[in-house]
């Protein structure tokens, strides 16, 4: 269970890095739900690494969407 939640968090973080490319900010609309899913699985599985990484990805995604006006 811990491996799955860390894997979800890593996938979300890789997508978040890709979404930093200009005109791909809309990808955060996919990154945030994956991060939330990873956070839920981390809480159930008890993985503190997965929780931390998921929270960071979610916060960065929300911040980036706020800066870009929800699109960019």
């Amino acid at each position: 269970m811990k491996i799955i939640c860390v894997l979800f968090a890593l996938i979300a973080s890789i997508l978040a890095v890709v979404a930093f490319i200009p005109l791909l900010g809309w990808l955060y609309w996919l990154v945030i739900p994956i991060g939330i899913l990873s956070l839920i699985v981390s809480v159930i599985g008890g993985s503190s690494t997965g929780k931390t990484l998921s929270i960071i990805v979610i916060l960065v995604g929300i911040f980036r969407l706020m800066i870009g006006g929800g699109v960019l």
Side-chain angles (χ1 to χ4, degrees), residues 7 30 33 39-42 47 53 60 66 72:
L7 182 66
L30 180 64
L39 182 63
I40 292 169
V41 172
S42 298
S47 172
L53 189 57
V60 167
M66 285 174 38
L72 301 173

Side-chain angles (χ1 to χ4, degrees), residues 13 16 39 49-62:
S13 63
L39 182 63
T49 305
K51 272 190 265 189
T52 305
L53 189 57
S54 298
I55 290 171
I56 290 171
V57 167
I58 292 167
L59 291 177
V60 167
I62 290 172

Side-chain angles (χ1 to χ4, degrees), residues 5-68:
C5 56
V6 172
L7 182 66
F8 278 161
L10 284 175
I11 290 171
S13 63
I14 290 170
L15 286 174
V17 169
V18 170
F20 265 91
I21 297 172
L23 300 176
L24 289 179
W26 56 268
L27 193 57
Y28 281 112
W29 287 106
L30 180 64
V31 169
I32 293 172
I34 292 174
I36 292 171
L37 177 68
S38 173
L39 182 63
I40 292 169
V41 172
S42 298
V43 168
I44 292 171
S47 172
S48 62
T49 305
K51 272 190 265 189
T52 305
L53 189 57
S54 298
I55 290 171
I56 290 171
V57 167
I58 292 167
L59 291 177
V60 167
I62 290 172
F63 180 70
R64 179 69 162 83
L65 278 175
M66 285 174 38
I67 288 175

